[in-house]
Amino acid sequence: MSASFDTLKFDQRLEQTGINPEQAAAFAEAQREALDALLDGRLASKADIDVLRSELDVLRSEFRAEIDILRSDFQGKFNLPSWMVGISLVISLTMLPMMVSIVLYLFG
């Protein structure tokens, strides 16, 4: 991809400073070539951007699919109501002997 460089304007500016037209044209062309060589491969074209955009769309879709899989795995393993029932059962079974002891002490 070539950079946008106005060789005519550069040429005219050189001529205004007293450089002869042939030399000004040669300098302008050399400057354009140097700029093209410097920027070659460093600037993205519209086609390059379109390719990257489509690759990002694919990655975004894959990422969302992975998130959905992880979300469904998490919901399956840590279903909140069954988790709460399990904790409540453990607490109740732990407190039952203590409650029986209290009742026997008070009424026994």
Side-chain angles (χ1 to χ4, degrees):
M1 173 177 190
S2 79
S4 177
F5 179 71
D6 189 352
T7 55
L8 179 61
K9 186 175 181 180
F10 188 77
D11 185 349
Q12 289 172 346
R13 171 72 70 72
L14 290 175
E15 287 179 24
Q16 288 172 358
T17 63
I19 296 177
N20 72 46
E22 293 81 24
Q23 286 180 328
F27 284 143
E29 185 59 27
Q31 185 69 26
R32 186 193 57 79
E33 289 173 2
L35 188 58
D36 285 348
L38 178 66
L39 296 178
D40 188 37
R42 294 186 185 200
L43 296 177
S45 67
K46 184 174 179 350
D48 294 334
I49 293 171
D50 290 340
V51 167
L52 286 175
R53 188 171 284 135
S54 65
E55 289 175 2
L56 283 174
D57 288 341
V58 168
L59 288 174
R60 185 180 298 120
S61 298
E62 291 173 358
F63 185 66
R64 285 182 178 158
E66 289 291 327
I67 288 175
D68 290 341
I69 290 169
L70 290 173
R71 184 178 291 133
S72 65
D73 286 350
F74 182 77
Q75 288 174 348
K77 291 179 182 175
F78 298 103
N79 192 357
L80 187 60
S82 64
W83 179 78
M84 289 174 66
V85 169
I87 292 294
S88 298
L89 184 62
V90 168
I91 291 172
S92 298
L93 290 175
T94 304
M95 293 180 64
L96 184 63
M98 185 174 50
M99 290 172 65
V100 169
S101 297
I102 292 172
V103 169
L104 288 177
Y105 177 76
L106 294 175
F107 300 107

